[in-house]
Amino acid sequence: LTILLGLTILAILLRVFLIQRPMQHDEAYSAVVFGYRPLIKIITDYHFPNNHVFHSILVHVSYLLFGPNEWGARFPAFAASVLTAPFGFILAKRWYGKTIALISGISIAVFPSMIHYAVNARGYSLIALLTLLIFIMGDYVKRHNNFLVWCFIAICGALGFFTLPIMAYPLAIFYVWMGFVWLINQFSHRYSKRSFLGYILGSGILTILLSL
């Protein structure tokens, strides 16, 4: 918990001083043309792919709470980017141990590209966070038979698609990984071979249905 808190504080400190910098074209367009409009307009207007829809919804909520300013428009991306550091640590710790996890968490917190996207009112930080959550939950469900977590995987995947179509890439990697887990029987004994495959296919189908 101390490490997670430290990574979160480090990520905040390296990002917060840039959150008021002048807005760039894409983020300004996204905020003004989509995020600041009525909610029904956000979810029905896709005349330009600048509308990262789920992110635009979050920008709209931030706009209602904080008003039309740079840091308010960037707050959803900022918060998502900050959380990638502790969640990156959690995923790396589950796979590689504490030392690699600490290196991973610090790297995510300090990498300039991650800091750049944290103060860019676009949906890319959100995609990164949702990807980490999906893989953390994937590592959990291969060890524990939990229907609800499989559903959360599908929900996070759908929210990713609702943000950007490029969510197809991390989801493809995730389901290929799950396929290999199934092939080499690296899942909990609480599953049968058939039931684990059913969960994989079911969560994938649910992701597609929710996305549509």
Side-chain angles (χ1 to χ4, degrees), residues 181-195:
V181 169
W182 175 75
L183 281 173
I184 62 178
N185 299 311
Q186 273 199 340
F187 48 84
S188 167
H189 67 277
R190 296 180 180 178
Y191 295 102
S192 66
K193 188 90 171 176
R194 184 175 179 179
S195 68

Side-chain angles (χ1 to χ4, degrees), residues 34 58 61 63 81 95 101 109-110 130 134 139 147 174 189 194:
F34 297 111
L58 296 179
V61 174
Y63 162 68
S81 179
W95 282 354
V110 305
L130 290 169
I134 286 171
D139 186 70
F147 173 77
F174 173 78
H189 67 277
R194 184 175 179 179

Side-chain angles (χ1 to χ4, degrees), residues 25-48:
H25 174 268
D26 279 352
E27 56 178 339
Y29 188 94
S30 299
V32 174
V33 176
F34 297 111
Y36 293 171
R37 298 177 73 192
L39 193 60
I40 189 65
K41 298 290 186 181
I42 296 172
I43 63 176
T44 58
D45 183 357
Y46 201 70
H47 74 268
F48 199 65

Side-chain angles (χ1 to χ4, degrees), residues 58-153:
L58 296 179
V59 171
H60 182 75
V61 174
S62 183
Y63 162 68
L64 295 178
L65 292 174
F66 309 122
N69 53 66
E70 288 91 343
W71 73 267
R74 289 168 172 155
F75 183 76
F78 176 86
S81 179
V82 166
L83 290 174
T84 57
F87 280 109
F89 173 87
I90 291 170
L91 180 60
K93 187 173 186 294
R94 295 183 73 91
W95 282 354
Y96 305 114
K98 190 174 181 179
T99 301
I100 298 300
L102 190 57
I103 294 171
S104 300
I106 293 173
S107 297
I108 292 171
V110 305
F111 272 0
S113 59
M114 296 297 292
I115 295 171
H116 166 73
Y117 284 112
V119 291
N120 190 339
R122 312 284 281 126
Y124 303 111
S125 296
L126 198 56
I127 289 289
L129 177 61
L130 290 169
T131 298
L132 286 172
L133 291 174
I134 286 171
F135 277 88
I136 290 169
M137 289 188 288
D139 186 70
Y140 180 84
V141 292
K142 78 185 185 75
R143 304 168 192 266
H144 305 86
N145 188 339
N146 192 310
F147 173 77
L148 190 61
V149 178
W150 281 105
C151 290
F152 278 125
I153 290 171

Side-chain angles (χ1 to χ4, degrees), residues 150 175 178-182 195-205:
W150 281 105
Y175 281 107
M178 286 287 105
F180 278 115
V181 169
W182 175 75
S195 68
F196 191 75
L197 180 61
Y199 275 119
I200 295 173
L201 295 176
S203 70
I205 292 170

